[in-house]
Amino acid sequence: MDIYSVKSVYFIGIGGIGMSALARYFNRMGCKVSGYDKTPTTLTTNLIAEGINIHFDEDTGSIPADTELVIYTPAIPKIKKNFNIALRRITPY
């Protein structure tokens, strides 16, 4: 996969320091960036202010249909609904 051709990225666990940095990177590269995290934090508030769509519930309908790349943190248990839905829809990296 050529990451420079990706137009839509979804993050599972977007609120961590490393994941938020990756989300900012893709956002600044012009990608549509969205993601899930368990709780709102200063980092997620800042990401939202930068135009990144973040949800804090496990509503699988919040995963954009046009997602091309899923990036997840090992901190999120694999039993989470949105994790499993995202993995079925697209090959994660």
Side-chain angles (χ1 to χ4, degrees):
M1 169 180 272
D2 177 12
I3 64 165
Y4 299 106
S5 67
V6 172
K7 302 289 184 222
S8 181
V9 184
Y10 181 77
F11 287 82
I12 301 173
I14 197 168
I17 193 71
M19 295 290 278
S20 62
L22 287 170
R24 281 190 170 106
Y25 170 79
F26 280 100
N27 192 44
R28 290 183 182 145
M29 294 295 291
C31 293
K32 176 181 160 188
V33 178
S34 58
Y36 160 82
D37 208 274
K38 184 178 175 181
T39 56
T41 64
T42 302
L43 281 173
T44 57
T45 299
N46 291 338
L47 292 172
I48 291 167
E50 294 171 30
I52 296 173
N53 183 21
I54 301 174
H55 62 101
F56 302 98
D57 56 26
E58 292 190 45
D59 177 11
T60 58
S62 298
I63 302 171
D66 63 348
T67 298
E68 296 176 87
L69 176 65
V70 176
I71 300 175
Y72 62 92
T73 175
I76 302 291
K78 289 186 179 182
I79 60 169
K80 292 286 189 183
K81 248 194 305 190
N82 61 354
F83 183 88
N84 289 311
I85 294 292
L87 290 181
R88 274 187 245 128
R89 285 178 46 189
I90 192 160
T91 302
Y93 291 90

